[in-house]
Amino acid sequence: DNLWYKCKSCGQMVFRKEFVENLSVCPRCEHHDRIGSKARFEQMFDDGRYEVLPSPEVREDPLKFRDTKRYADRLKTARATTGARDALVNARGLIGRRKAVVGVQDFAFMGGSMGSVVGERFARAAETALEIGCPFVNFSASGGARMQESLFSLMQMAKTSAALGRLREAGLP
C-alpha cells in the first residue's frame, strides 16, 4: 500500500519514494499535492532539523456549537484523521543558517480554517519571531474563519493582524 502513490490529477501510479523526493509533485503531469507540516518543515529547515513550538491552551468550544454534528465531535474527527491538534503547527529552526519561525496550516484539518486555537498559535509564533529577532514565514492553506466559533473566529483576524503589525514595526519580515 505504501510503495505507490496514485496521482489525484492524472491517475499515474508513481513510486512513493520518487513522489516524495520530487517534493510531492507528480513527475508526469506536475500536479502539486498537499504537503503536511512535518514534510514542509523538513523541506524548509536546514538538514530537516526544527523544534515544534508549544501549543497554547485555548478554550475550544466556547459556544457549544451544534449543527448536524457537535463541534467537539468535528474536532475529534479532524484530530483522528490528521493526527494534528488543530490546523496550524509552528516550529523554529534555521533556514540558510539563519533563525526563522515557520507556521504551516493544514487544509486537511477542517479546511485549514481559523478558529481560536489557530489565531492564538499564529500570534504566538509571530511573538516568538519578535523575541528572537527573526522572520516569521506562514504557509497558508485556509478556508477562512471557522463558522462553529462565530465571532470568536472573526476576532482572530484582528489578533493576527496586530501580531504582524508588531513584526513590521520591528523591521522583521
Side-chain angles (χ1 to χ4, degrees):
D1 275 352
N2 254 353
L3 285 176
W4 295 94
Y5 167 81
K6 184 176 181 179
C7 177
K8 293 176 177 103
S9 180
C10 70
Q12 177 76 28
M13 296 297 287
V14 181
F15 276 118
R16 183 165 300 280
K17 184 176 189 250
E18 178 185 355
F19 180 71
V20 170
E21 287 172 355
N22 202 37
L23 305 178
S24 299
V25 177
C26 176
R28 179 170 179 227
C29 71
E30 297 186 359
H31 171 75
H32 289 67
D33 203 1
R34 292 181 185 159
I35 299 174
S37 59
K38 186 177 186 288
R40 182 73 73 183
F41 291 146
E42 288 173 355
Q43 290 173 2
M44 290 300 299
F45 290 116
D46 294 354
D47 301 321
R49 296 179 59 207
Y50 58 92
E51 172 192 346
V52 173
L53 299 179
S55 180
E57 292 295 320
V58 175
R59 192 164 168 213
E60 291 186 342
D61 190 6
L63 302 175
K64 304 293 183 216
F65 187 89
R66 181 184 186 94
D67 52 11
T68 58
K69 287 173 73 175
R70 292 178 345 147
Y71 180 39
D73 293 338
R74 290 184 187 280
L75 288 171
K76 281 181 194 173
T77 301
R79 288 176 179 150
T81 303
T82 64
R85 295 284 305 151
D86 215 298
L88 175 66
V89 179
N90 297 305
R92 63 190 270 179
L94 301 175
I95 300 175
R97 296 186 318 240
R98 295 183 181 187
K99 293 178 186 176
V101 174
V102 175
V104 177
Q105 282 179 274
D106 186 356
F107 193 81
F109 194 103
M110 296 184 74
S113 58
M114 181 180 279
S116 298
V117 173
V118 171
E120 187 62 23
R121 283 183 179 186
F122 187 98
R124 294 267 181 99
E127 292 299 326
T128 300
L130 193 59
E131 288 170 16
I132 60 179
C134 71
F136 171 47
V137 178
N138 188 67
F139 289 90
S140 180
S142 179
R146 197 168 290 170
M147 68 169 232
Q148 294 88 347
E149 292 188 32
S150 187
L151 187 58
F152 292 102
S153 180
L154 294 176
M155 290 175 4
Q156 304 314 305
M157 303 297 257
K159 181 188 290 187
T160 58
S161 293
L164 292 174
R166 289 189 292 278
L167 283 171
R168 189 175 354 326
E169 287 172 12
L172 294 170

